């Protein structure tokens, strides 16, 4: 007895239960150089929304009537590979199934001495690396500069604000609940927080950035980005990590931004974490060192149960998660 | 008897004769380290529209009821500086006056052996340097890449397409008249031309760029830029030189572009020529060498008479100029 979650219809705007379906399926058997895995934790991430569209992108679109795949922590329950044995905890890009077979060479063992195994899906995984490379390589943070971060209390944003502090930036964090802004200011030492659902973002940003904006780490795009552009300093850098406010709006329109870039000789650079594949070790080493030293902390939000993966994913677009959103599917054996 | 052109009202959209006024004024006298200049050629440039707005930018806004200033070629008619003597041809950023006094140290002598003196306002001046640094530093052109240039028959664009060919790019040039597209293909060896006023730009661009777009040198922004973004290749570079289609549209709106940047890990970088001040000699040396070798050519469009400067400026926004738009004010003595 096994279950999987398929994409059964492509969403045109906000994804909901019309688009994802839980199906009963067989438990597969591993062949040579494969392992059978029991799914423990599933990561839901905003970028997955893009894969639900049938358009050319940096990753292939999800196929209709096939399982969704994404970041997963799992336990080896049967191994036909000499690299893994029963009981090992691994992470990889895996299909959303309670039991799943994977090629051994696409998995990575999780080192449990570095922190809870879920950190391999968060601060020591894709979101942490995204924060590290986006901020350091594109953002080029310098002591005393003003860094604005949108989606600041999410998995990526909460790492960005802390790395910004490590580099000596004055950090302004934008988020959508009081719990999030309190977390940012009280636990992550963010200098100024803005609650975009309760404050006038334009006024609050102008007040928060009397010296202008040197770096904007953008997870959201949309109206919030529009209010940042006029505040850009000469040679400002915009790290275009995400644009979650546009993901569910076909042909989203807004003020044209080219003139802001010209006026401030500013740069916007999009990226995806695969661009930095050759440097993952460097990023991982920095993140795990900072974590050990207590300079980097993290929060996780859990839902429980395989059947709640879709709701956890949908919740990303209403801002329900504080830090990394995960679904706990099963206990290790 | 002298004349000058003042900004008497800030345009909210397209500038016209309500905004610029020709006034009679006195002929000034030079003091120590100053020279009196007779204006020979005046350059009108799209960027000047931005200075007519009362907003913070990389250059101060023009002041109301004061003369406009911009690139000018002039002849020294009286000198109180040991660096210049009567008869010298100079260039500088000067007020729009028939006779104008300037500090000697803000002028540069024009070397007439390099070409007609007007080239110091075009291919060997600000537009040429803009093309050179924008394309080489931001665009990073590589052999065999596809370079798309909007405003391709203008002062900057016509230099960009040729420098692109020097670097071995396949060049697609977008312009708005048959005369311009013929100039691009017949005289500048542009591989594919698109007449945006007569063709469906989206279809034409897709056909012109079967391998996608690696570099987009953008002088115009607006609808044309919108059609380029979906065609960007992985790690594409957009040189945001201008956005002339937005200059006269307050709060111009369009499709949000962030997701295109993320999908293709692309970069947009705005700039102004002052950013490269320390490297002007390098740029000038390259441009003058290419000009001498015949690898770089140029076109100039002239209006005659000081009183026609405003119309020449207005004409930039209706695409009347082929190559560099100049106004001939007087003959040298």
């Amino acid at each position: 007895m096994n279950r999987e979650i398929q994409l059964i219809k492509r969403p045109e705007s906000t994804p909901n239960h019309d688009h994802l379906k839980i199906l009963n399926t067989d438990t597969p058997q591993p062949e040579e150089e494969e392992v059978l895995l029991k799914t423990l934790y599933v990561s839901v991430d905003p970028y997955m929304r893009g894969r639900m569209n049938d358009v050319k992108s940096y990753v292939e679109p999800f196929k209709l009537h096939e399982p969704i795949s994404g970041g997963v922590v799992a336990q080896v329950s049967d191994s036909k590979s000499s690299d893994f044995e029963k009981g090992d905890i691994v992470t990889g890009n895996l299909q959303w199934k309670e039991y799943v077979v994977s090629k051994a060479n696409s998995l990575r063992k999780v080192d449990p001495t570095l922190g809870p195994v879920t950190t391999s899906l968060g601060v020591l995984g894709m979101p942490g690396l995204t924060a590290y490379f986006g901020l350091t390589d594109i953002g080029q943070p310098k002591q005393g500069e003003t860094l604005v971060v949108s989606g600041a209390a999410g998995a990526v944003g909460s790492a960005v604000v802390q790395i910004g502090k490590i580099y000596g930036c004055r950090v302004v964090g934008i988020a959508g609940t009081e719990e999030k802004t309190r977390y940012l200011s009280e636990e992550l030492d963010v200098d100024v927080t803005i609650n975009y659902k309760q404050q006038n973002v334009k006024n609050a940003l102008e007040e928060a950035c009397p010296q202008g904006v040197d770096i904007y780490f953008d997870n959201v795009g949309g109206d919030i980005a529009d209010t940042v552009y006029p505040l850009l300093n000469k040679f400002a850098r915009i790290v275009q990590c995400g644009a979650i406010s546009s993901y569910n709006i076909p042909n989203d329109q807004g003020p044209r931004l080219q003139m802001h870039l010209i006026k401030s000789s500013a740069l916007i650079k999009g990226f995806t974490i695969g661009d930095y594949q050759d440097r993952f070790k460097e990023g991982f080493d920095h993140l795990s060192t900072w974590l050990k030293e207590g300079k980097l902390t993290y929060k996780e939000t859990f839902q429980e149960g395989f059947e709640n993966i879709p709701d956890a994913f949908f919740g990303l677009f209403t801002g329900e998660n504080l830090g990394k959103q995960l679904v706990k599917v099963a206990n290790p054996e």
Side-chain angles (χ1 to χ4, degrees), chain A:
Chain A
M1 189 55 194
N2 192 14
R3 288 186 292 177
E4 67 180 38
I5 299 173
Q6 290 188 357
L7 179 70
I8 56 164
K9 189 180 166 190
R10 297 194 185 279
E12 291 188 5
S13 58
T14 309
N16 59 43
H17 286 285
D18 293 344
H19 308 108
L20 296 179
K21 189 173 178 184
I22 301 177
L23 291 102
N24 293 325
T25 181
D26 292 335
T27 301
Q29 296 302 317
E31 305 195 353
E32 283 309 303
E33 301 307 321
E34 291 184 340
V35 293
L36 175 64
L37 299 168
K38 180 184 183 186
T39 298
L40 304 181
Y41 296 97
V42 163
S43 173
V44 291
D45 296 277
Y47 82 87
M48 305 177 92
R49 173 64 185 84
R51 296 194 64 187
M52 294 180 177
N53 298 330
D54 192 17
V55 293
K56 180 198 151 197
S57 184
Y58 56 96
V59 280
E60 283 297 292
F62 291 128
K63 293 208 172 76
L64 274 181
H65 307 292
E66 291 195 11
I68 300 285
S69 58
V72 165
V73 165
Q75 187 171 37
V76 176
S77 65
D78 188 6
S79 176
K80 293 275 175 68
S81 158
S82 56
D83 294 335
F84 296 96
E85 53 188 55
K86 192 167 151 67
D88 282 349
I89 306 291
V90 300
T91 185
N93 200 279
L94 297 169
Q95 291 183 326
W96 284 357
K97 294 184 171 190
E98 288 180 292
Y99 287 90
V100 64
V101 158
S102 169
K103 287 196 184 339
N105 64 12
S106 70
L107 298 171
R108 185 167 65 79
K109 264 186 219 175
V110 176
D111 177 354
T113 67
L114 293 171
V117 296
T118 48
T119 55
S120 68
L121 299 173
V123 68
L124 296 182
M126 186 273 286
L129 292 168
T130 299
Y132 174 80
F133 288 112
L135 183 60
T136 61
D137 189 57
I138 302 172
Q140 297 281 330
K142 286 165 204 71
Q143 177 83 30
E145 286 191 329
T146 297
L147 163 65
V148 173
V149 184
S150 60
V156 174
S158 60
V160 172
V161 300
Q162 295 177 83
I163 301 171
K165 295 299 290 185
I166 291 169
Y167 276 78
C169 293
R170 192 166 164 281
V171 179
V172 177
I174 307 174
T177 67
E178 251 195 77
E179 183 195 13
K180 291 177 182 178
T181 56
R182 203 165 46 235
Y183 166 60
L184 290 169
S185 57
E186 292 179 6
E187 298 187 48
L188 303 186
D189 270 340
V190 166
D191 298 277
V192 186
T193 63
I194 296 172
N195 182 331
Y196 74 90
K197 287 187 179 163
Q198 300 211 323
Q199 292 179 261
N200 176 312
V201 179
K202 184 171 178 292
N203 295 349
L205 256 180
E206 284 172 2
E207 201 174 312
C209 306
Q211 311 296 319
V213 175
D214 299 296
I215 308 172
Y216 175 41
F217 195 106
D218 190 6
N219 289 304
V220 307
D223 293 351
I224 291 177
D226 295 341
T227 63
V228 178
Y229 300 139
L231 303 179
L232 295 176
N233 285 334
K234 187 85 180 168
F235 301 123
R237 291 81 66 196
I238 298 176
V239 185
Q240 197 66 52
C241 178
I244 197 170
S245 75
S246 290
Y247 292 174
N248 297 323
I249 305 175
N251 306 312
D252 194 15
Q253 305 266 320
R256 294 190 184 278
L257 54 78
Q258 290 93 344
M259 290 182 61
H260 294 294
L261 301 181
I262 298 170
K263 279 181 190 165
S264 52
S265 295
L267 167 154
I268 306 188
K269 172 86 174 66
F271 75 110
T272 58
I273 190 58
D275 303 348
Y276 295 96
Q277 206 146 9
D278 295 347
R279 292 174 57 191
F280 277 1
K281 191 182 173 313
E282 168 202 331
F284 187 81
D285 288 349
H286 275 96
L287 294 165
S288 51
T289 303
W290 289 329
L291 194 66
K292 215 181 313 175
E293 296 172 345
K295 291 181 183 165
L296 188 59
T297 65
Y298 61 93
K299 274 269 196 295
E300 298 172 324
T301 300
F302 289 97
Q303 290 229 24
E304 301 261 343
F306 186 80
E307 62 282 2
N308 289 319
I309 295 173
D311 281 332
F313 176 68
F314 304 148
L316 295 172
F317 302 100
T318 50
E320 288 174 14
N321 58 304
L322 180 65
K324 181 73 197 102
Q325 178 67 55
L326 296 160
V327 181
K328 181 175 177 182
V329 171
N331 284 313
E333 273 156 28

